Amino acid sequence: MAARLEIVWTPQPNKFITWGSDISLYEVQQLRNNANPNIKLSSTCGANLVSTNTNHHYIKCLDVHPKLDEDLLLAVGNTYGKVSLSTFGPSSVFDSQGLPGKDFVPRHSRPCNTVVWNPIDNNVLAVGLEKYRSDYAVLLWDIMKYPTINENAGRIPMNTVQPAVELARPIAEYGVSEHAHSISWFKSSSKQMAVGMNNKNIKLLDFRDPNKLVISNLTKAVYGVTVDPHNDKHLASFLDNQIFIWDIRNFEKPIVTLPHAKPLVKIEWCPTKYNLLGVLQKDSSSITLYDIQHTVVGDEEIEPSVLERNVLPGSPHNITSFSWHLLDESRFLTIALSGSIIDFTVFDRITLNWGASSNIVWTYGCKTMKYIQDATLNDISYHIKKRAKLGYGLKDEFWKNSEIVEDEMLSNLWNWLYLSGKLVEKGFFGDKDSAREAFSKHPGVQSVLRLDPNINRSEMVTFNWADLGNPNCSGSIRIYKQEERQKAMHLCSWHFDSSANALVDHIQQLEKDKAYTRAAALAVFNLKVKTAIEILGKAPENSASGGPPLQVVAMALAGFCDDKNSTWRQFCSSLKGKMSDPYLRAIFAFLTSDNYTYDNVLNENGMAVDDRIAFACMFLPDKQLHGYLKKLSDKLTEEGNLDGLLLTGATPDGIKLLQKYLEVTGDIQSTALIAAQAFSDDVNPDTVRVWIENYRNLLDTWQLWNERAKFDIMLSSFRPNERQPQQVYVSCNFCGKSISACMQGLNRTRGQFSRMGSASNNLKMSSCPNCRKPLPRCSICLMHMGTKTVSPTADVESTKVMEFPNWFTWCQTCRHGGHASHMVHWFKEHSECPVTACNCRCINIDSITNSMMAK
């Protein structure tokens, strides 16, 4: 293939033209199994040579007629200034009009720099020529007004280029003794154009008045003048290695200047995407794209921002030209010096928008918008929204919240809050009020123990293994007892000293839950090895998650011997590391420990935190216990593990742990609910208030109004200081005071009604309690609106004052209304207001009703 210098897409979407020494027409073809195109443009398409036009020499510029037809009409300008019309074959339209073969020749020979068809009036052709002392630089030809009779030659100017050829007269001319470098039509007017002239200015011409210059500016950037096809107010031009973006409303200076490292060859606006400018530099294998984003603040347009992007079409050779596709978005062709042609599509950076209601929207250019409603994603916001709809954190008992969450750590925490709260209420830690003052609402293990590492207050008790029913043993085991230790173990659910059957009941519950290894471990830790053997022996064969069957473990445990040199001890010490179950590892680590050191048990991360803490409270002396709990508390706080609240309790250290948990998980819901219900008002109130407000805002964003209201109601019961003030009340039309002041009247008359033993249990207030004027009538039953109260002897604060059917309700537009039950019944069958003279369609104004109907 011969070398090609220029390339251009035609109005026919599957054809393009290349030209240099000759002009060639190609047709794009999709690559299929049987397709074998002449040129491969990309991985999906190729091109076949359709026709070649070799009738033109010294081609300087070319433009394709914008009319979409079966054939293509070309305007070809050459080095001598002649512009010829040409096609690639017979055409039913152009050939019948006699257009192919026509030449438009200036009076004097000089190079034709540019030729451009008018995008609106397709018969008009603009030509830009180099300077001649007595001739025009810009000529407008109407291809349908070409003289064909030689008798008119006497009145036509002399043709100095081709004396024997008849000279056509332009319909308009501009720029005597000037030089036209580039021309671009405005897309909104067939008579206006921008011309780069004389290497010193850009002129905006209006050929409705050829003698009038619309506007001009002084600049040497007169090359490649091109008007934005989507906005006639903006145009671009270049000079050497700089691009200038102009706004014709303020044409004195460019609004954007884009410098480059190399001289520029071509610039072209993308016809399918707003404000996208393609740029080609000399000796470059890439195309630079500029997304010029114009911003309007108020009535003024501020300096635009520019996003730059370099794309490599794939050709290893230097690109000589490129052309945007007229219809396919962000698609262009490039041609290199070697003649290789690349079809390339610029894929936009996908902008993903994730709505607050888990709706996802993204775009693929200007053609396609993808939308996913209620996207189910493994994201914390999805779980928060799901829990909120189930009433998470609003249950009357803490343990009920554990049934909603899927997270085991959160479930354990809510169960522990229920346990610790009940212990405080029962006075387990002393007097209820004094215990709360000393330990907070939910005391932690550290505050209950009150350990002093320098003072050992615990009592050490020694047991012989043989006395505990282990005849193969001769050693002993130590445990530590203290009242505070027993209370701490209660917080860990190890309340086995309260009754003889407490341990048995707890183990049986674990067996029901199929936690056989944990049940066996608790039995061993409480020095009942035989019980652990029975538990493992009767466990199902498939109950162990990997490792040996539990019956085999029971057999190994039956040979328990504390002799350091025994075969059992050596075998179990080597075997425990191969077990997959953490509680089995802890059992054998405990039974094979030396010198009463239990690090392998205490650091067994697979065990529950409460079991490890209770084990430490049972087997560690005060100093070691203090150090272990401090180290474990710091570790859990750093990890944001809520199990650490068992240690810290509802104290400032617990707030730090919650903050870390929030940073790790983003679960603002659990953080706010736990802080609001479990912590006192004086524990980091500012931090807790921020969490509460953030959770409120999240519920408001999701439009979960009912859940937000229930959350505020719950909050007012746990934190009276956070109670929201009354925001809406019903006022009297006459005095303007709230009619809810009737509550004060009830309190004042309570004594009177208490003396009236036969007084009605339902007292109806049908007038304003302040001015005694009657309240409005219900538009359905025509009775005065009134508050149905309870018996005057009842506790007003603990009883509902008014049921929903008797509530006030009215239209916010026409102000008509009545009892809630009456209005609901009316609008089930009607859309207009029940008042006869009112034509308001109240039901259509209610946004909540409309949204429910839409769903």
Side-chain angles (χ1 to χ4, degrees):
M1 178 179 174
R4 299 289 185 259
L5 297 178
E6 294 288 340
I7 191 167
V8 60
W9 277 107
T10 69
Q12 297 181 7
N14 62 334
K15 292 182 180 180
F16 64 90
I17 293 174
T18 63
W19 58 275
S21 58
D22 53 13
I23 306 173
S24 299
L25 175 65
Y26 292 87
E27 184 174 8
V28 178
Q29 181 181 9
Q30 296 297 320
L31 295 179
R32 297 185 177 88
N33 295 333
N34 299 326
N36 188 21
N38 301 124
I39 304 174
K40 185 178 180 180
L41 302 178
S42 67
S43 60
T44 59
C45 66
N48 291 319
L49 179 63
V50 177
S51 179
T52 301
N53 189 328
T54 59
N55 298 328
H56 303 278
H57 305 284
Y58 309 109
I59 301 175
K60 192 77 184 297
C61 54
L62 179 149
D63 196 20
V64 185
H65 194 277
K67 183 178 180 181
L68 181 61
D69 196 70
E70 296 179 358
D71 199 7
L72 301 170
L73 183 63
L74 309 180
V76 182
N78 64 14
T79 305
Y80 301 104
K82 180 178 70 173
V83 177
S84 303
L85 302 183
S86 179
T87 62
F88 288 98
S91 174
S92 59
V93 176
F94 298 127
D95 191 57
S96 62
Q97 297 173 352
L99 296 178
K102 282 187 176 182
D103 295 330
F104 299 91
V105 185
R107 295 187 183 91
H108 303 282
S109 174
R110 56 266 174 72
C112 178
N113 292 328
T114 181
V115 56
V116 186
W117 290 102
N118 192 308
I120 299 176
D121 188 355
N122 299 153
N123 295 330
V124 177
L125 183 66
V127 178
L129 303 167
E130 290 192 4
K131 180 179 180 180
Y132 192 85
R133 62 180 179 273
S134 61
D135 205 353
Y136 292 95
V138 180
L139 305 178
L140 265 62
W141 310 91
D142 189 334
I143 62 175
M144 305 305 295
K145 295 182 180 180
Y146 184 84
T148 58
I149 302 176
N150 290 331
E151 64 185 20
N152 295 330
R155 290 178 291 170
I156 295 178
M158 182 179 296
N159 183 358
T160 61
V161 179
Q162 294 174 294
V165 178
E166 194 173 311
L167 196 64
R169 183 183 298 276
I171 61 174
E173 301 169 316
Y174 180 80
V176 178
S177 300
E178 295 191 73
H179 189 132
H181 301 277
S182 57
I183 296 176
S184 181
W185 289 99
F186 285 93
K187 304 303 184 291
S188 61
S189 174
S190 63
K191 301 297 183 180
Q192 292 180 312
M193 66 168 59
V195 186
M197 303 189 71
N198 304 321
N199 204 25
K200 66 179 182 180
N201 52 28
I202 297 177
K203 297 182 179 181
L204 307 183
L205 308 179
D206 190 339
F207 284 94
R208 290 171 295 187
D209 185 0
N211 297 321
K212 181 181 178 182
L213 176 65
V214 176
I215 193 172
S216 175
N217 73 338
L218 293 176
T219 178
K220 292 184 178 181
V222 296
Y223 300 96
V225 173
T226 174
V227 178
D228 189 342
H230 302 288
N231 188 350
D232 277 354
K233 298 180 179 64
H234 298 144
L235 58 90
S237 64
F238 69 88
L239 173 66
D240 295 335
N241 63 340
Q242 286 188 315
I243 298 176
F244 300 88
I245 310 297
W246 308 87
D247 190 327
I248 64 174
R249 295 168 296 182
N250 185 11
F251 211 28
E252 296 179 357
K253 59 181 181 179
I255 56 176
V256 175
T257 301
L258 304 172
H260 291 78
K262 299 179 181 179
L264 301 173
V265 176
K266 182 177 182 180
I267 63 174
E268 184 177 353
W269 292 102
C270 179
T272 57
K273 190 171 182 180
Y274 287 88
N275 304 322
L276 183 64
L277 183 67
V279 178
L280 174 62
Q281 301 180 67
K282 186 178 180 180
D283 300 331
S284 176
S285 60
S286 65
I287 302 294
T288 305
L289 304 179
Y290 290 102
D291 187 356
I292 304 171
Q293 300 178 345
H294 300 273
T295 306
V296 178
V297 178
D299 297 332
E300 297 183 1
E301 184 173 331
I302 63 176
E303 181 178 349
S305 59
V306 180
L307 300 179
E308 181 180 355
R309 182 180 180 186
N310 287 322
V311 294
L312 297 171
S315 174
H317 305 286
N318 293 334
I319 299 172
T320 60
S321 182
F322 73 98
S323 176
W324 291 104
H325 198 282
L326 301 178
L327 299 177
D328 291 347
E329 184 177 353
S330 302
R331 179 184 178 188
F332 62 79
L333 287 172
T334 63
I335 187 169
L337 281 173
S338 62
S340 62
I341 303 174
I342 301 295
D343 185 356
F344 189 82
T345 299
V346 181
F347 292 96
D348 291 338
R349 298 178 178 90
I350 296 178
T351 302
L352 187 65
N353 299 282
W354 189 2
S357 300
S358 299
N359 300 329
I360 301 177
V361 178
W362 71 93
T363 59
Y364 176 69
C366 300
K367 293 183 178 180
T368 308
M369 177 176 290
K370 302 293 185 180
Y371 174 68
I372 298 179
Q373 185 175 8
D374 295 330
T376 303
L377 303 174
N378 188 19
D379 182 79
I380 187 61
S381 62
Y382 172 78
H383 297 292
I384 290 176
K385 186 176 182 180
K386 179 181 177 181
R387 295 171 191 166
K389 292 181 178 180
L390 295 175
Y392 173 62
L394 307 178
K395 305 300 182 180
D396 53 352
E397 297 287 357
F398 283 159
W399 64 269
K400 295 181 180 179
N401 296 316
S402 65
E403 299 178 345
I404 297 176
V405 295
E406 307 86 354
D407 192 313
E408 183 180 359
M409 180 174 62
L410 277 175
S411 179
N412 292 336
L413 176 61
W414 285 109
N415 286 326
W416 178 79
L417 290 175
Y418 173 76
L419 170 64
S420 60
K422 288 298 182 182
L423 291 176
V424 171
E425 289 181 2
K426 292 178 180 179
F428 184 76
F429 303 104
D431 181 70
K432 182 176 179 180
D433 295 332
S434 62
R436 285 187 174 179
E437 182 179 353
F439 300 115
S440 77
K441 296 169 64 175
H442 299 274
V445 169
Q446 290 176 310
S447 59
V448 170
L449 287 175
R450 300 180 182 178
L451 290 174
D452 187 347
N454 299 320
I455 302 176
N456 192 356
R457 298 185 301 169
S458 301
E459 176 188 358
M460 183 179 67
V461 181
T462 304
F463 295 94
N464 294 321
W465 281 114
D467 297 337
L468 297 173
N470 301 283
N472 297 329
C473 301
S474 59
S476 60
I477 186 73
R478 297 174 181 175
I479 65 173
Y480 294 86
K481 291 188 176 182
Q482 185 191 14
E483 182 181 359
E484 286 77 7
R485 286 179 182 246
Q486 300 304 322
K487 293 179 179 179
M489 293 172 68
H490 268 71
L491 284 177
C492 300
S493 300
W494 278 35
H495 43 82
F496 308 140
D497 62 329
S498 58
S499 64
N501 297 324
L503 177 61
V504 176
D505 295 340
H506 190 71
I507 288 176
Q508 289 178 351
Q509 182 60 44
L510 291 175
E511 289 182 285
K512 290 181 181 179
D513 298 335
K514 298 181 180 181
Y516 300 103
T517 58
R518 186 182 181 187
L522 263 62
V524 171
F525 296 156
N526 285 273
L527 311 181
K528 298 183 181 299
V529 179
K530 288 187 177 181
T531 304
I533 296 173
E534 295 174 358
I535 295 171
L536 297 176
K538 62 184 180 182
E541 293 184 1
N542 59 350
S543 60
S545 58
L550 296 184
Q551 291 80 1
V552 176
V553 179
M555 292 175 59
L557 191 60
F560 169 50
C561 177
D562 64 345
D563 186 358
K564 295 182 179 181
N565 299 320
S566 65
T567 304
W568 181 90
R569 185 183 184 89
Q570 295 175 2
F571 175 76
C572 292
S573 297
S574 61
L575 181 64
K576 64 183 180 182
K578 300 179 181 179
M579 294 182 176
S580 60
D581 190 277
Y583 280 98
L584 293 181
R585 292 196 300 265
I587 288 175
F588 287 99
F590 172 69
L591 296 178
T592 59
S593 61
D594 294 328
N595 300 323
Y596 306 107
T597 56
Y598 307 106
D599 292 343
N600 291 334
V601 180
L602 297 171
N603 298 325
E604 180 57 68
N605 293 328
M607 287 179 58
V609 173
D610 51 354
D611 288 339
R612 285 188 280 162
I613 295 174
F615 179 89
C617 291
M618 190 171 183
F619 293 101
L620 293 185
D622 287 358
K623 185 174 182 180
Q624 294 182 19
L625 179 60
H626 178 273
Y628 173 73
L629 296 182
K630 179 66 170 60
K631 182 179 178 180
L632 181 61
S633 177
D634 294 341
K635 179 176 179 293
L636 296 177
T637 301
E638 182 64 25
E639 295 174 353
N641 191 330
L642 293 181
D643 292 336
L645 283 176
L646 173 61
L647 290 167
T648 64
T651 62
D653 290 337
I655 292 292
K656 295 179 182 178
L657 193 153
L658 284 177
Q659 178 63 46
K660 189 63 179 181
Y661 168 77
L662 177 61
E663 294 172 1
V664 173
T665 64
D667 187 2
I668 185 62
Q669 180 186 48
S670 297
T671 305
L673 290 171
I674 293 170
Q677 300 183 55
F679 286 75
S680 303
D681 294 346
D682 56 348
V683 180
N684 292 64
D686 295 335
T687 302
V688 175
R689 191 175 297 110
V690 171
W691 294 341
I692 291 172
E693 287 303 319
N694 285 336
Y695 183 50
R696 278 176 173 161
N697 293 336
L698 186 60
L699 294 177
D700 290 341
T701 302
W702 288 332
Q703 299 182 4
L704 298 178
W705 315 124
N706 292 335
E707 288 74 9
R708 160 66 193 273
K710 293 176 181 178
F711 173 74
D712 285 341
I713 294 172
M714 178 278 297
L715 196 64
S716 63
S717 61
F718 282 90
R719 292 177 169 259
N721 296 334
E722 298 289 339
R723 181 175 298 174
Q724 296 296 310
Q726 183 178 359
Q727 299 171 337
V728 178
Y729 62 89
V730 182
S731 63
C732 175
N733 287 332
F734 298 96
C735 67
K737 295 183 179 180
S738 172
I739 66 170
S740 61
C742 65
M743 296 301 300
Q744 300 176 1
L746 287 177
N747 292 332
R748 290 193 299 267
T749 59
R750 180 172 300 179
Q752 175 183 355
F753 283 104
S754 63
R755 293 190 297 269
M756 297 170 57
S758 60
S760 174
N761 289 334
N762 292 328
L763 175 64
K764 186 174 182 181
M765 300 291 295
S766 59
S767 62
C768 173
N770 298 288
C771 65
R772 302 301 180 186
K773 294 294 180 64
L775 298 179
R777 295 178 182 270
C778 172
S779 56
I780 302 296
C781 66
L782 301 182
M783 298 295 292
H784 287 290
M785 299 295 294
T787 302
K788 209 170 187 179
T789 64
V790 296
S791 172
T793 58
D795 186 359
V796 177
E797 295 182 356
S798 62
T799 311
K800 291 184 178 179
V801 175
M802 181 174 56
E803 297 296 335
F804 175 75
N806 297 318
W807 280 14
F808 289 87
T809 179
W810 62 91
C811 173
Q812 296 295 313
T813 302
C814 65
R815 306 298 182 184
H816 297 143
H819 297 108
S821 59
H822 295 167
M823 304 310 296
V824 169
H825 183 268
W826 171 266
F827 284 116
K828 284 182 179 179
E829 300 178 358
H830 306 82
S831 60
E832 289 189 356
C833 178
V835 177
T836 304
C838 182
N839 296 324
C840 177
R841 295 185 175 272
C842 311
I843 194 65
N844 296 331
I845 301 172
D846 187 5
S847 59
I848 298 179
T849 302
N850 293 336
S851 62
M852 294 177 63
M853 293 176 64
K855 293 180 180 179

